[in-house]
């Protein structure tokens, strides 16, 4: 369980780091490198103002044990031992990258990437392209040469006009596969390419040739930003329109053309059906209804005292039925726990109006199953959906918790008595928000006999939980229960008491689905006490986490465009 908690926290840190290192700040309209990004790219992520990667890594304070554990080393060694040169090259590159991450002071020397850098990630057809601003060209090239030396892959220098670049052949992994590494105009470019692709394709992938239609001369980013109110600090997207064209045509975009090269004997029957007029029409309609994924980010602070940034990830839809259904499923999230930075050690809030769950999903399910489709594979999927209607299960859930609109847990702190293993102090809050808390408790009593003797306090009053549930008295904690309007509040400690008073005054509103937050330093300090009490040695990754002064917050909800995930991260040096 403890290892699971540590792993989950490290993953959360990695996700926050992904947002930090792949989105950032300044207008895309003045970013000239966008001229080299094809307008028909299916995937794009742009960082338009330099982010201080070195300061970020220092603030994160992660040790080699977190990035490169013994288990991972053993797994990598096993894969590399019998692997092909291409696999050994990938593993060596990955392990070198992990080592670099744990040594921020030598980041620039080991990678050549600027300490404060902008970056771009996108597809040129089927070729993934990643670009960074570099300050040391030799160090950037050496980063790849180290992996080549360890794996036995022999690089080759080639020319494209007057421009030279390195090629690392990886054909033993996939026929014709190559890794291209180039430096020009202060940018390092890394491309996974294939020898079957044209010279012009290679020139575009290496940012040596501008596509006629590119993100620099099109209005795509401008229109997207205006429609979804995106911050200009950083923008990214995944386009279902371009994916649909690639899947249903042979030449609808560059990705479609590239994919045809893999089918030298013609399209397999399973894919050929998608190239029918019916499937092209249906796929285009679905792509218009669900345009894909949109991302943005905003840096509020980036200086010697630390980093403070936020970001959003949006799944928009043009379906009025889907949008209304998802909005009606939202429930109540306390405003103080809305996915931002919070003074507590940990909080989790979930909002769902249970009474609306069945009608909302029923409406959306009907919208999908009644949709007029002609594409054979899509019609088959639709028929399977009709045969697996989930309404009965949802109706049972609605009966069990009818009226519930939200629940939350906030942990401000706790300490354990090392002699008894029992809590000696705690400060925490649990809330249930419902149309009628008394009715909710009555339903719970019918299902859980131990609750049968519990009587709620009068509205606005609080009582000692030990008086109505004697086992709580064994904890020697003054746990209180309060009923206030639509809220049932269970709390202990001064901070939780104050937090409960604030939430008690809030009116119910449909404002979210999930909210989560964590203070890493507080959380892992408390977890460290548990290791001390157990007598077990503290894991190295946990010791490192104690030095990470990071706070994160996340929320999931539905706005006027679709499902949106918002994140916030604050790091102190």
């Amino acid at each position: 369980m403890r290892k699971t908690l540590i792993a989950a926290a490290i993953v959360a840190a990695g996700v926050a780091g992904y947002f930090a290192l792949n989105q950032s700040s300044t207008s895309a309209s003045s970013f000239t490198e966008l001229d080299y990004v094809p307008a028909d790219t299916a995937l794009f992520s742009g960082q338009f103002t330099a982010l201080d990667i070195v300061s970020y890594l220092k603030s994160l304070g992660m040790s080699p044990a977190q990035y490169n554990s013994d288990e991972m080393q053993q797994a990598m060694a096993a894969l590399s031992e019998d692997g092909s040169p291409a696999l050994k090259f990938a593993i060596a590159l990955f392990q070198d990258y992990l080592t670099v991450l744990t040594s921020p002071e030598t980041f620039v020397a080991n990678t050549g990437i600027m300490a404060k850098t902008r970056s771009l990630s996108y597809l040129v057809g089927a070729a993934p392209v990643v670009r960074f601003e570099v300050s040391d060209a030799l160090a950037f090239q050496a980063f790849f040469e180290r992996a080549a030396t360890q794996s036995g892959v022999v690089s080759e220098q080639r020319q494209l006009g007057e421009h030279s670049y390195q090629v690392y052949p990886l054909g033993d992994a996939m026929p014709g596969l190559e890794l291209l590494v180039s430096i020009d105009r202060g940018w390092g470019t890394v491309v996974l390419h294939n020898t079957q692709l044209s010279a012009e394709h290679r020139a575009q992938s290496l940012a040596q040739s501008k596509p006629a239609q590119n993100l620099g001369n099109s209005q795509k980013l401008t229109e997207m930003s205006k429609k979804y109110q995106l911050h200009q600090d950083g923008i990214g997207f995944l386009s279902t329109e371009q994916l649909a064209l690639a899947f249903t045509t042979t030449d609808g975009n560059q990705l479609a053309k590239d994919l045809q090269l893999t089918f030298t004997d013609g399209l397999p029957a399973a894919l050929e059906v998608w190239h029918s007029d019916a499937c092209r029409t249906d796929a285009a309609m679905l792509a218009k209804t669900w345009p894909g994924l949109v991302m943005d980010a905003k840096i509020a602070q980036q200086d010697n005292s630390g980093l403070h940034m936020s970001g959003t990830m949006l799944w928009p839809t043009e379906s009025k039925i889907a949008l209304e259904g998802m909005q009606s499923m939202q429930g109540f999230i306390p405003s103080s726990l809305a996915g931002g930075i919070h003074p507590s050690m940990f909080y989790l809030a979930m909002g769902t109006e249970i009474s609306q769950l069945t009608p909302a999903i029923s409406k959306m399910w009907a919208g999908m199953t009644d949709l007029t489709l002609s594409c054979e594979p899509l019609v088959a999927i639709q028929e399977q959906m009709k045969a697996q209607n989930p309404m009965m299960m949802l109706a049972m859930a609605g009966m069990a918790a009818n009226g519930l609109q939200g629940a939350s847990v906030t942990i401000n702190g706790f300490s354990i008595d090392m002699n008894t293993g029992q809590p000696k102090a705690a400060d925490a809050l649990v809330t249930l928000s419902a149309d009628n808390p008394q009715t909710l408790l009555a339903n719970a009593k019918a299902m859980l006999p131990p609750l049968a003797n519990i009587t709620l306090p009068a509205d606005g009053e609080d009582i000692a939980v030990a008086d109505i549930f004697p086992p709580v008295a064994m904890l020697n904690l003054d746990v209180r229960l309060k009923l206030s309007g639509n809220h049932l509040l269970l709390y202990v400690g001064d901070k939780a008491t104050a937090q409960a008073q604030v939430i008690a005054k809030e009116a119910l509103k449909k404002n979210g689905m999930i909210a989560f937050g964590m203070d890493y330093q507080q959380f892992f300090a408390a977890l460290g006490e548990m290791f001390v009490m157990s007598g077990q040695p503290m894991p190295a990754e946990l010791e490192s986490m104690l030095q990470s002064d990071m706070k994160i917050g996340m929320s999931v909800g539905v706005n006027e465009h679709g499902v949106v995930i918002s994140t916030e991260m604050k790091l102190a040096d």
Side-chain angles (χ1 to χ4, degrees), residues 96-125:
D96 197 5
Y97 176 68
L98 293 180
T99 301
V100 167
L101 289 181
T102 62
S103 181
E105 296 81 1
T106 60
F107 178 85
V108 176
N110 285 326
T111 66
I113 298 172
M114 282 187 176
K116 296 181 179 180
T117 186
R118 297 177 292 178
S119 68
L120 293 170
S121 303
Y122 53 92
L123 292 176
V124 175

Side-chain angles (χ1 to χ4, degrees), residues 349-372:
M350 303 186 70
T352 299
E353 187 170 359
I354 298 296
S355 62
Q356 293 297 313
L357 192 61
T358 299
I361 293 183
S362 178
K363 186 176 182 179
M364 290 190 292
W365 196 267
M368 292 185 288
T369 55
D370 294 341
L371 196 65
T372 301

Side-chain angles (χ1 to χ4, degrees), residues 488-502:
L488 190 60
L489 308 130
L490 183 69
Y491 53 91
V492 58
D494 294 338
K495 291 181 181 179
T497 299
Q499 292 163 352
Q501 290 172 352
V502 173

